[in-house]
Amino acid sequence: MSDGPHILVVDDDREIRDLLGRFLRKHGFRVDSAADGREMQAALSAGRFDLLVLDLMLPGEDGLSLCRRVRADTELPIVMLTAIGEDTDRIVGLEMGADDYIAKPFNPRELLARIRAVLRRSTAGPPPAAPAEAGRILCFQGWRLDPGRRSLQAPDGTFVELTGGEFRLLLALAEHPGRVLTRDQLLDLTRGREAGPFDRSVDVQVSRLRRKLEDDPKQPLLIKTVRGGGYVFAAEVAPA
């Protein structure tokens, strides 16, 4: 029995479940499978998993709803399987909290590469904190970002919960206001590495940050997209 990462494959197509099970086990993973949301919830309750491969189109509760439910309770990494050409569903899937997606029909080797990339991101530790972070607070448009306490306080005084990746990304942007940062630069600042060919973690985390920071995430005022360039933090930043 392999002691590799434990994957749960959720797909109503038995052929796909069996194919992925054999392929992933061959590459050192432990694999369980489920045909729908009910079986998925039973598996998640009974065991510990390192990653969820979740089909978008399922009988009963669909993959988007299941993704949202899983993400509300856990940081379990999720790779979604989507129908080819359904760009809207892929975008919504990422907004719901999926870490990556792959369109059907797919090459199992590409899915394997995406799974490995997501697992690397989820297990990578944050870069070492600079000693100067203690006591330093960054303020922008009424928000207070405290690197020492790893906290974000909204203008109304409430604290906004961020994942480790979201916090590191916001800090990297706020430390370079007005400067266009590419995805590679942001990954280097937050993870100490360059982006891989399947790495969409920056885009996913920017989407999540916008939902937490912006009045209208579709027309962001703080974190703006620079076409062909990356992202820019548009607010003025000052120390407290």
Side-chain angles (χ1 to χ4, degrees), residues 167-219:
F167 186 90
R168 292 191 294 272
L169 178 60
L170 179 58
L171 180 60
L173 289 164
E175 286 181 327
H176 302 85
R179 175 180 166 187
V180 177
L181 295 173
T182 66
R183 290 167 181 79
D184 279 344
Q185 288 173 321
L186 287 168
L187 270 175
D188 186 51
L189 288 168
T190 59
R191 293 289 195 185
R193 62 178 177 81
E194 295 182 350
F198 306 124
D199 207 324
R200 295 184 180 86
S201 59
V202 168
D203 301 314
V204 173
Q205 287 171 354
V206 165
S207 293
R208 294 177 186 170
L209 280 175
R210 282 172 172 165
R211 292 203 307 273
K212 296 177 179 181
L213 293 171
E214 306 277 5
D215 292 330
D216 183 357
K218 294 182 179 179
Q219 296 183 339

Side-chain angles (χ1 to χ4, degrees), residues 68-222:
R68 181 173 57 239
R69 181 130 58 94
V70 169
R71 184 55 68 238
D73 298 329
T74 177
E75 289 296 316
L76 177 67
I78 300 172
V79 175
M80 294 204 75
L81 306 179
T82 71
I84 190 165
E86 297 296 328
D87 290 333
T88 300
D89 287 338
R90 298 176 201 175
I91 293 168
V92 172
L94 292 175
E95 291 288 343
M96 291 294 185
D99 295 271
D100 204 349
Y101 64 82
I102 185 169
K104 291 181 176 181
F106 56 84
N107 185 320
R109 291 189 177 279
E110 183 179 357
L111 177 61
L112 175 64
R114 291 176 185 270
I115 287 173
R116 285 174 169 167
V118 170
L119 286 173
R120 281 196 301 271
R121 295 200 301 265
S122 67
T123 57
E133 284 187 356
R136 178 172 64 101
I137 297 177
L138 302 177
C139 300
F140 51 92
Q141 294 189 5
W143 294 83
R144 294 170 61 90
L145 184 66
D146 186 336
R149 295 182 178 178
R150 299 183 67 78
S151 66
L152 175 66
Q153 188 174 16
D156 64 4
T158 60
F159 285 89
V160 177
E161 185 175 346
L162 299 178
T163 66
E166 289 167 358
F167 186 90
R168 292 191 294 272
L169 178 60
L170 179 58
L171 180 60
L173 289 164
E175 286 181 327
H176 302 85
R179 175 180 166 187
V180 177
L181 295 173
T182 66
R183 290 167 181 79
D184 279 344
Q185 288 173 321
L186 287 168
L187 270 175
D188 186 51
L189 288 168
T190 59
R191 293 289 195 185
R193 62 178 177 81
E194 295 182 350
F198 306 124
D199 207 324
R200 295 184 180 86
S201 59
V202 168
D203 301 314
V204 173
Q205 287 171 354
V206 165
S207 293
R208 294 177 186 170
L209 280 175
R210 282 172 172 165
R211 292 203 307 273
K212 296 177 179 181
L213 293 171
E214 306 277 5
D215 292 330
D216 183 357
K218 294 182 179 179
Q219 296 183 339
L221 299 177
L222 290 174

